[in-house]
Amino acid sequence: VEKVRLLEHRAGQRKPTLGTLYLSATHTIFVENHPETRRETWDFRVIHLLFPQERDCVDEEREKSWSFVLPSHDYKRMGLPNNLWVATAANSEYKLFDVSHSLQLEEDEQMLTAVMKANPGSDFIYVVDTRPRLNAMANRAAGKGYESEDHYANIKLHFSGIDNIHVMRSSQQKILDVFIARAVADEGVSVLVHCSDGWDRTAQACSVASVLLEPYYRTIQGLMVLIEKDWVSFGHKFSHRYGHLDGDPREVSPVLDQFLEVLWQLAQQFPCAFQFNERFLLDVRTHVYSCQYGSFLGNCEKERCALRLQERSFSVWRRLWKDREQYVNPLYRAEQGVLRPNTTPYCFKMWKGLYSPAEMPPPPPQKPADILSTVREGSQQLEQELANQQERLATLTGEPISYQRVEVPRRKIRQSQLRYSGPDPPTMYSYPTTGPAQDHDSSHGISKPASEKTQQAGAGLCLPLEPLGSGKGHDPDDLSSDLESGVADLSAGDELIGGREGDQTGLSSD
């Protein structure tokens, strides 16, 4: 116990000594905090420690839990505030004044102009309305209209078409809309996102875009910061959406559940791009409903302040961070790039861990993460041993290391063997041609003459053995390629990205 004051009455001491008290089963040890003496006092008597309230014992731990994840830390990581963005305390007391419609329109125009000017490389700004266009037009009667390109200069309006909470369960594909990520990554344009209120669909769209764009949000701590910043701080109505209290059942909707499932679906397409595993997502969802921690209680920051949750409860993030070892994905590669998922329906899978946990296979005696980690460590040791032996060989012979080209004969594959199963697209392969020769080029695909295809099918597969350090950006510890990690190179143009997607699917439609 730190910061303990010892007062020895028998020695006539009037000023207490500050130190640390160590408790054991048989005695106590008091160590003074003085750096020179560090005097120890051993006491073998029976003592009783009395605390006025139990919460006095955990005040310090509670304060640490609430200060572990803060949106201000993420803004600082991004270099904010700077000469283009400033922090304001205008709404620190949650008492923003009301304004008339005309004044609000004028201030909105000024705000959008300021956001556009904050990005020197953009001459316009995208305004993404997550509602369907018809819903936005109908909301005008309730004072929740949308921006008109006639009134706002240099904006481009885009409707994502995500329905409200009453039909949210059928909006999985629309939530994974990559328009925002493409606008930022490919065009370098700023994007302003809103819906009718801003605490449901806006949080989903911005969070998904952040995960696609920023690798930091694919880490364990990064996802904590993202949920705290885009959901908790922006006023997602946790108490209403997840039925924490008796209320209107029409307000209940699994909005955050859908975001967590989007992360799981992305992890299925890009298994090496996320530091966390499925268990971390399931535990986050569990605590959203459990009400065990104060992080997901209340409908907004104002309610949480009124309930004094930081004085009466703990934050969930520090608890999850202490258990982070069981949440690590052993396949994770810290790649820097943008994720470009395939949003066609056949790429979505059922999340059995959430919707049907009884169908999940029993865990093996040894965790798969431990097995993969052991295999990876062994591979790294073999690679290091190979490099050492090559250096020794070069030293003994006095000649540089040479590499040979090995010709591996290709095994002939019958037409009936070229099959694939599951929702993932088939890999690239060539079908043997038995029909007449063809030579035509169309927008759907390119066919080659039968003689050329037959020649390609019988050719051998050439595998050049290159040094471990050769190649652009090659990492000797990297056991996955860009396609495996799901990370696209920003230096590649749209044609290259589109070509890869076409090659991966290997399918064409009339």
Side-chain angles (χ1 to χ4, degrees):
V1 183
E2 298 180 349
K3 299 180 181 179
V4 175
R5 291 176 173 84
L6 176 64
L7 183 61
E8 299 185 45
H9 296 282
R10 293 177 298 177
Q13 183 182 4
R14 296 184 177 181
K15 186 177 180 180
T17 303
L18 185 65
T20 303
L21 181 65
Y22 296 90
L23 306 177
S24 69
T26 57
H27 60 280
T28 62
I29 306 175
F30 178 81
V31 181
E32 296 181 359
N33 287 349
H34 197 281
E36 296 181 358
T37 59
R38 297 285 295 177
R39 187 169 66 94
E40 297 182 0
T41 302
W42 291 53
D43 195 341
F44 292 88
R45 294 175 296 177
V46 178
I47 62 174
H48 297 275
L49 302 177
L50 303 178
F51 300 95
Q53 293 183 4
E54 182 181 359
R55 65 183 182 184
D56 295 340
C57 307
V58 294
D59 282 344
E60 184 176 357
E61 184 67 21
R62 183 175 58 250
E63 293 176 1
K64 290 182 179 180
S65 70
W66 284 106
S67 61
F68 179 69
V69 174
L70 295 175
S72 57
H73 296 166
D74 195 39
Y75 298 141
K76 185 177 180 180
R77 180 189 64 86
M78 293 185 287
L80 302 175
N82 54 25
N83 59 335
L84 297 175
W85 295 90
V86 297
T88 177
N91 196 33
S92 59
E93 297 181 357
Y94 311 101
K95 296 181 180 179
L96 284 179
F97 57 89
D98 296 329
V99 294
S100 62
H101 179 72
S102 60
L103 181 60
Q104 185 177 0
L105 179 60
E106 181 180 354
E107 290 186 349
D108 287 348
E109 293 177 358
Q110 296 175 359
M111 182 191 69
L112 291 181
T113 302
V115 172
M116 182 190 66
K117 291 182 178 180
N119 184 359
S122 176
D123 297 331
F124 66 95
I125 181 175
Y126 279 114
V127 176
V128 176
D129 194 326
T130 60
R131 301 169 294 179
R133 182 184 292 270
L134 294 178
N135 292 23
M137 297 175 64
N139 289 151
R140 279 184 171 180
K144 300 178 181 179
Y146 60 92
E147 294 81 2
S148 174
E149 294 179 294
D150 298 332
H151 298 159
Y152 294 85
N154 300 326
I155 74 166
K156 293 184 179 181
L157 192 60
H158 174 81
F159 289 94
S160 296
I162 303 176
D163 291 301
N164 56 25
I165 60 173
H166 306 295
V167 290
M168 189 68 75
R169 297 168 185 83
S170 61
S171 302
Q172 179 73 57
Q173 188 174 3
K174 294 181 180 179
I175 293 175
L176 199 52
D177 185 7
V178 296
F179 172 81
I180 302 175
R182 288 178 178 173
V184 175
D186 299 340
E187 302 181 43
V189 180
S190 298
V191 181
L192 183 142
V193 186
H194 72 86
C195 58
S196 56
D197 297 301
W199 48 57
D200 289 322
R201 290 168 286 192
T202 301
Q204 283 182 331
C206 293
S207 299
V208 172
S210 299
V211 171
L212 296 177
L213 290 168
E214 176 57 57
Y216 171 71
Y217 296 128
R218 302 169 209 156
T219 64
I220 296 177
Q221 187 173 13
L223 183 60
M224 295 179 182
V225 173
L226 182 63
I227 296 177
E228 185 72 24
K229 177 169 62 74
D230 283 1
W231 293 80
V232 179
S233 298
F234 271 75
H236 181 60
K237 302 170 70 173
F238 284 95
S239 293
H240 285 173
R241 294 294 178 262
Y242 309 106
H244 292 165
L245 301 174
D246 291 337
D248 189 354
R250 294 176 297 178
E251 289 291 319
V252 177
S253 183
V255 183
L256 184 60
D257 296 44
Q258 282 192 322
F259 169 65
L260 296 176
E261 183 174 355
V262 167
L263 295 179
W264 184 85
Q265 297 289 350
L266 288 173
Q268 302 308 300
Q269 293 193 30
F270 312 109
C272 302
F274 293 87
Q275 186 187 31
F276 49 84
N277 55 20
E278 178 186 18
R279 183 174 182 179
F280 180 69
L281 299 177
L282 292 174
D283 284 359
V284 170
R285 180 187 178 275
T286 298
H287 290 301
V288 169
Y289 289 90
S290 68
C291 301
Q292 183 179 357
Y293 296 88
S295 301
F296 304 127
L297 298 180
N299 290 320
C300 60
E301 287 285 354
K302 184 178 180 180
E303 284 191 13
R304 282 184 279 273
C305 291
L307 294 173
R308 296 186 293 114
L309 292 179
Q310 293 193 9
E311 302 175 11
R312 304 165 63 182
S313 65
F314 285 77
S315 173
V316 69
W317 303 126
R318 190 172 178 85
R319 174 75 273 170
L320 294 177
W321 181 252
K322 288 183 178 180
D323 300 333
R324 61 186 179 274
E325 292 185 359
Q326 60 183 338
Y327 300 137
V328 174
N329 173 21
L331 300 178
Y332 173 66
R333 302 297 302 176
E335 302 285 353
Q336 303 295 321
V338 177
L339 300 184
R340 302 180 185 272
N342 190 341
T343 59
T344 51
Y346 70 84
C347 289
F348 293 98
K349 304 177 181 179
M350 178 183 176
W351 189 3
K352 293 185 178 180
L354 176 61
Y355 299 112
S356 185
E359 296 185 14
M360 296 294 292
Q366 187 177 5
K367 296 181 179 179
D370 298 338
I371 299 175
L372 292 174
S373 299
T374 303
V375 172
R376 184 172 183 176
E377 292 176 359
S379 300
Q380 292 176 352
Q381 294 177 0
L382 291 176
E383 290 178 356
Q384 183 64 35
E385 182 66 22
L386 176 61
N388 295 337
Q389 296 296 336
Q390 290 174 344
E391 292 179 359
R392 291 183 57 188
L393 181 61
T395 303
L396 293 175
T397 60
E399 299 178 358
I401 303 174
S402 59
Y403 298 90
Q404 300 177 352
R405 297 175 62 89
V406 180
E407 296 290 341
V408 180
R410 184 188 295 273
R411 183 173 62 91
K412 294 183 179 181
I413 303 177
R414 296 182 179 179
Q415 177 74 17
S416 60
Q417 294 177 341
L418 296 177
R419 299 177 180 175
Y420 68 94
S421 61
D424 294 331
T427 55
M428 293 179 293
Y429 48 75
S430 300
Y431 288 91
T433 303
T434 58
Q438 299 177 356
D439 187 5
H440 66 274
D441 188 356
S442 65
S443 59
H444 303 296
I446 301 176
S447 299
K448 296 184 178 181
S451 59
E452 184 177 348
K453 291 183 178 180
T454 305
Q455 182 178 0
Q456 291 179 354
L461 177 63
C462 183
L463 300 176
L465 300 179
E466 299 179 355
L468 293 176
S470 64
K472 181 179 177 181
H474 181 75
D475 185 0
D477 295 333
D478 192 358
L479 302 180
S480 60
S481 63
D482 287 343
L483 292 178
E484 291 173 341
S485 63
V487 180
D489 189 359
L490 288 178
S491 61
D494 292 340
E495 294 183 359
L496 178 58
I497 295 172
R500 286 180 178 175
E501 291 179 353
D503 290 343
Q504 285 180 343
T505 56
L507 300 175
S508 63
S509 59
D510 294 333

